[in-house]
Amino acid sequence: MKELVLASHNAGKLRELQALLGNSIKIRSISEFSSVEPEETGLTFIENAILKARHASQISGLPALADDSGLTVDYLQGAPGIHSARYSASGGDAGNNRKLLEALQGVPEAQRGAQFVCVLALLQHANDPLPIICEGHWQGRILLAPQGMNGFGYDPLFYVAEQRCSSAELSNELKNQLSHRAQAMQRLKQQLAL
Ligand SMILES: O=c1nc[nH]c2c1ncn2[C@H]1C[C@H](O)[C@@H](COP(=O)(O)OP(=O)(O)OP(=O)(O)O)O1
Ligand SMILES: [Mg+2]
């Protein structure tokens, strides 16, 4: 495999995935081929990652890597989970963060545990019957108010105890050593011997 297409329309994810993959492989963006986003109809991160990779491979004719990720909050029984990107009506990061803070209003620190989850799916071609699936998890807790400007999505609300700051206060480099996405990518690179 010399080239692959990254099947994501999220600029924050793309930046991280590119940095994590390094120069080991030539990366093409799905936006070169299409701006149509497939509907994420799966019930699991795994299904949605496969569905996005399959769609990207279909339209590009290249091997495709997709990332389906999200935030699972203990107090909310795992919500917003696979619906993280579409949690609030507006679906934007600011609206999603606001809705999460409202859902956790009055909930004490000890009950604000959460995890970022990332599933990567690599398909060699659109009909690949055996996708490579790798996952990563990152434990944290939901802050009472946003902190920090780096990253994307729910990063300003995700407190990383070992670093004593939110994931939006980490440098790109440090987030790329610790995150759910970093862990999933490390496993993928091992499997591909990259
Ligand atoms: O490191 C992260 N730091 C902060 N937030 C994050 C992270 N990783 C995932 N998230 C959030 C963003 C979005 O609300 C959802 C992913 O949703 P997800 O459908 O996988 O991605 P997306 O729709 O933004 O782009 P695409 O599907 O084109 O890859 O989880
Ligand atoms: Mg999505």
Side-chain angles (χ1 to χ4, degrees):
M1 188 174 57
K2 296 197 185 85
E3 277 193 296
L4 64 73
V5 59
L6 272 189
S8 175
H9 295 271
N10 178 317
K13 265 192 203 178
L14 282 171
R15 186 186 61 239
E16 292 181 9
L17 289 169
Q18 256 155 359
L20 290 165
L21 265 168
N23 319 325
S24 42
I25 204 156
K26 181 168 183 217
I27 301 164
R28 307 273 296 268
S29 164
I30 188 64
S31 57
E32 280 182 49
F33 301 95
S34 167
S35 59
V36 179
E37 296 188 37
E39 232 188 299
E40 296 181 28
T41 53
L43 296 180
T44 60
F45 292 108
I46 296 173
E47 288 167 286
N48 284 336
I50 293 174
L51 169 161
K52 288 189 274 190
R54 186 180 293 131
H55 176 259
S57 197
Q58 252 156 11
I59 59 178
S60 67
L62 292 171
L65 177 65
D67 167 317
D68 200 56
S69 45
L71 182 69
T72 65
V73 178
D74 301 342
Y75 185 82
L76 304 176
Q77 283 88 44
I82 60 164
H83 305 293
S84 294
R86 309 156 263 160
Y87 187 42
S88 65
S90 71
D93 288 346
N96 289 341
N97 280 315
R98 220 173 311 127
K99 179 163 175 181
L100 180 60
L101 282 181
E102 278 162 20
L104 294 179
Q105 211 161 26
V107 177
E109 217 171 80
Q111 291 174 51
R112 298 175 75 96
Q115 284 191 317
F116 272 133
V117 176
C118 174
V119 170
L120 296 176
L122 179 73
L123 268 68
Q124 297 293 343
H125 54 83
N127 299 318
D128 185 349
L130 196 58
I132 298 178
I133 307 289
C134 295
E135 65 179 75
H137 303 246
W138 196 17
Q139 186 63 43
R141 86 175 132 72
I142 304 304
L143 286 161
L144 299 172
Q147 268 176 226
M149 304 292 283
N150 300 332
F152 66 97
Y154 296 92
D155 280 330
L157 291 181
F158 189 79
Y159 184 75
V160 183
E162 316 81 70
Q163 301 298 324
R164 299 172 184 233
C165 66
S166 81
S167 55
E169 294 174 301
L170 297 174
S171 65
N172 294 345
E173 291 71 26
L174 193 49
K175 186 182 172 194
N176 278 343
Q177 285 170 32
L178 302 174
S179 77
H180 50 318
R181 186 161 295 107
Q183 294 171 44
M185 185 61 86
Q186 198 186 357
R187 294 187 177 124
L188 180 69
K189 285 170 106 171
Q190 263 167 13
Q191 287 217 29
L192 295 174
L194 283 176

Short mmCIF file of all heavy atoms in Angstrom, two decimals, residues 121-143:
data_model
loop_
_atom_site.label_atom_id
_atom_site.label_comp_id
_atom_site.label_asym_id
_atom_site.label_seq_id
_atom_site.Cartn_x
_atom_site.Cartn_y
_atom_site.Cartn_z
N ALA A 121 -10.75 2.38 10.91
CA ALA A 121 -11.01 1.24 10.02
C ALA A 121 -10.24 1.47 8.73
O ALA A 121 -10.33 2.54 8.12
CB ALA A 121 -12.50 1.12 9.72
N LEU A 122 -9.47 0.46 8.34
CA LEU A 122 -8.72 0.52 7.08
C LEU A 122 -9.24 -0.55 6.14
O LEU A 122 -9.23 -1.74 6.48
CB LEU A 122 -7.23 0.30 7.33
CG LEU A 122 -6.39 0.33 6.05
CD1 LEU A 122 -6.26 1.74 5.51
CD2 LEU A 122 -5.02 -0.27 6.29
N LEU A 123 -9.70 -0.13 4.98
CA LEU A 123 -10.14 -1.06 3.94
C LEU A 123 -9.16 -0.96 2.77
O LEU A 123 -8.85 0.14 2.32
CB LEU A 123 -11.55 -0.68 3.44
CG LEU A 123 -12.72 -1.38 4.14
CD1 LEU A 123 -12.82 -0.90 5.57
CD2 LEU A 123 -14.02 -1.11 3.41
N GLN A 124 -8.70 -2.11 2.28
CA GLN A 124 -7.78 -2.10 1.14
C GLN A 124 -8.50 -1.73 -0.14
O GLN A 124 -7.92 -1.17 -1.05
CB GLN A 124 -7.09 -3.46 0.99
CG GLN A 124 -6.22 -3.86 2.19
CD GLN A 124 -4.99 -2.97 2.35
OE1 GLN A 124 -4.59 -2.25 1.44
NE2 GLN A 124 -4.39 -3.01 3.53
N HIS A 125 -9.78 -2.06 -0.21
CA HIS A 125 -10.62 -1.67 -1.36
C HIS A 125 -12.06 -1.72 -0.88
O HIS A 125 -12.35 -2.23 0.22
CB HIS A 125 -10.38 -2.59 -2.56
CG HIS A 125 -10.54 -4.04 -2.23
ND1 HIS A 125 -11.76 -4.66 -2.21
CD2 HIS A 125 -9.63 -4.98 -1.87
CE1 HIS A 125 -11.60 -5.93 -1.87
NE2 HIS A 125 -10.31 -6.14 -1.66
N ALA A 126 -12.97 -1.20 -1.71
CA ALA A 126 -14.35 -1.01 -1.25
C ALA A 126 -15.03 -2.31 -0.81
O ALA A 126 -15.90 -2.30 0.05
CB ALA A 126 -15.17 -0.32 -2.34
N ASN A 127 -14.61 -3.44 -1.41
CA ASN A 127 -15.25 -4.72 -1.04
C ASN A 127 -14.38 -5.56 -0.12
O ASN A 127 -14.59 -6.76 -0.01
CB ASN A 127 -15.59 -5.52 -2.30
CG ASN A 127 -16.57 -4.75 -3.18
OD1 ASN A 127 -17.52 -4.15 -2.68
ND2 ASN A 127 -16.31 -4.73 -4.48
N ASP A 128 -13.40 -4.95 0.49
CA ASP A 128 -12.51 -5.67 1.41
C ASP A 128 -13.36 -6.37 2.49
O ASP A 128 -14.04 -5.72 3.27
CB ASP A 128 -11.55 -4.66 2.06
CG ASP A 128 -10.50 -5.32 2.93
OD1 ASP A 128 -10.64 -6.53 3.21
OD2 ASP A 128 -9.56 -4.62 3.33
N PRO A 129 -13.31 -7.72 2.53
CA PRO A 129 -14.14 -8.43 3.51
C PRO A 129 -13.51 -8.49 4.90
O PRO A 129 -14.13 -8.98 5.84
CB PRO A 129 -14.25 -9.84 2.91
CG PRO A 129 -12.97 -10.00 2.16
CD PRO A 129 -12.55 -8.64 1.68
N LEU A 130 -12.27 -8.00 5.02
CA LEU A 130 -11.58 -8.12 6.31
C LEU A 130 -10.89 -6.81 6.66
O LEU A 130 -9.67 -6.71 6.61
CB LEU A 130 -10.57 -9.28 6.23
CG LEU A 130 -10.02 -9.81 7.55
CD1 LEU A 130 -11.14 -10.32 8.45
CD2 LEU A 130 -9.03 -10.93 7.27
N PRO A 131 -11.67 -5.80 7.02
CA PRO A 131 -11.06 -4.51 7.36
C PRO A 131 -10.17 -4.64 8.60
O PRO A 131 -10.43 -5.49 9.44
CB PRO A 131 -12.26 -3.61 7.69
CG PRO A 131 -13.48 -4.37 7.38
CD PRO A 131 -13.12 -5.81 7.18
N ILE A 132 -9.15 -3.82 8.67
CA ILE A 132 -8.36 -3.75 9.91
C ILE A 132 -9.03 -2.71 10.80
O ILE A 132 -9.27 -1.57 10.37
CB ILE A 132 -6.91 -3.33 9.61
CG1 ILE A 132 -6.24 -4.38 8.71
CG2 ILE A 132 -6.12 -3.18 10.91
CD1 ILE A 132 -4.82 -4.01 8.32
N ILE A 133 -9.31 -3.11 12.03
CA ILE A 133 -10.00 -2.24 12.98
C ILE A 133 -9.10 -2.05 14.20
O ILE A 133 -8.66 -3.05 14.78
CB ILE A 133 -11.32 -2.89 13.47
CG1 ILE A 133 -12.21 -3.31 12.31
CG2 ILE A 133 -12.06 -1.97 14.44
CD1 ILE A 133 -12.83 -2.18 11.56
N CYS A 134 -8.83 -0.82 14.58
CA CYS A 134 -8.03 -0.57 15.79
C CYS A 134 -8.73 0.47 16.63
O CYS A 134 -9.31 1.40 16.10
CB CYS A 134 -6.64 -0.06 15.41
SG CYS A 134 -5.68 -1.29 14.52
N GLU A 135 -8.66 0.29 17.95
CA GLU A 135 -9.32 1.29 18.79
C GLU A 135 -8.42 1.82 19.88
O GLU A 135 -7.41 1.22 20.22
CB GLU A 135 -10.63 0.75 19.36
CG GLU A 135 -10.48 -0.41 20.31
CD GLU A 135 -11.85 -0.85 20.83
OE1 GLU A 135 -12.60 -1.49 20.07
OE2 GLU A 135 -12.16 -0.54 22.00
N GLY A 136 -8.80 3.00 20.36
CA GLY A 136 -8.09 3.61 21.46
C GLY A 136 -9.07 4.32 22.38
O GLY A 136 -10.15 4.74 21.93
N HIS A 137 -8.73 4.40 23.67
CA HIS A 137 -9.59 5.04 24.67
C HIS A 137 -8.74 6.02 25.46
O HIS A 137 -7.57 5.76 25.69
CB HIS A 137 -10.14 4.01 25.66
CG HIS A 137 -10.91 2.92 25.02
ND1 HIS A 137 -12.25 2.74 25.22
CD2 HIS A 137 -10.53 1.95 24.15
CE1 HIS A 137 -12.67 1.71 24.51
NE2 HIS A 137 -11.64 1.21 23.85
N TRP A 138 -9.38 7.08 25.92
CA TRP A 138 -8.66 8.09 26.72
C TRP A 138 -9.58 8.51 27.85
O TRP A 138 -10.70 8.97 27.61
CB TRP A 138 -8.32 9.27 25.81
CG TRP A 138 -7.27 10.22 26.33
CD1 TRP A 138 -6.37 10.02 27.33
CD2 TRP A 138 -7.03 11.54 25.81
NE1 TRP A 138 -5.57 11.14 27.47
CE2 TRP A 138 -5.96 12.07 26.55
CE3 TRP A 138 -7.61 12.31 24.80
CZ2 TRP A 138 -5.45 13.35 26.31
CZ3 TRP A 138 -7.11 13.57 24.56
CH2 TRP A 138 -6.03 14.09 25.31
N GLN A 139 -9.11 8.32 29.06
CA GLN A 139 -9.93 8.58 30.25
C GLN A 139 -9.78 10.03 30.71
O GLN A 139 -8.68 10.55 30.75
CB GLN A 139 -9.47 7.62 31.36
CG GLN A 139 -10.30 7.63 32.60
CD GLN A 139 -11.73 7.18 32.36
OE1 GLN A 139 -11.95 6.20 31.66
NE2 GLN A 139 -12.69 7.90 32.89
N GLY A 140 -10.90 10.64 31.07
CA GLY A 140 -10.84 12.00 31.60
C GLY A 140 -12.09 12.32 32.38
O GLY A 140 -12.83 11.42 32.79
N ARG A 141 -12.31 13.63 32.62
CA ARG A 141 -13.59 14.01 33.20
C ARG A 141 -14.04 15.34 32.64
O ARG A 141 -13.23 16.12 32.14
CB ARG A 141 -13.53 13.96 34.72
CG ARG A 141 -13.04 15.16 35.41
CD ARG A 141 -13.18 14.97 36.93
NE ARG A 141 -11.96 15.32 37.62
CZ ARG A 141 -11.53 16.57 37.77
NH1 ARG A 141 -12.21 17.57 37.27
NH2 ARG A 141 -10.41 16.82 38.41
N ILE A 142 -15.35 15.57 32.71
CA ILE A 142 -15.92 16.75 32.07
C ILE A 142 -15.85 17.95 33.01
O ILE A 142 -16.38 17.90 34.14
CB ILE A 142 -17.38 16.47 31.62
CG1 ILE A 142 -17.44 15.24 30.70
CG2 ILE A 142 -17.98 17.70 30.93
CD1 ILE A 142 -16.55 15.32 29.47
N LEU A 143 -15.20 19.00 32.54
CA LEU A 143 -15.03 20.22 33.34
C LEU A 143 -16.37 20.94 33.53
O LEU A 143 -17.36 20.64 32.87
CB LEU A 143 -14.05 21.15 32.61
CG LEU A 143 -12.58 20.71 32.67
CD1 LEU A 143 -11.77 21.41 31.58
CD2 LEU A 143 -12.00 21.03 34.05
#
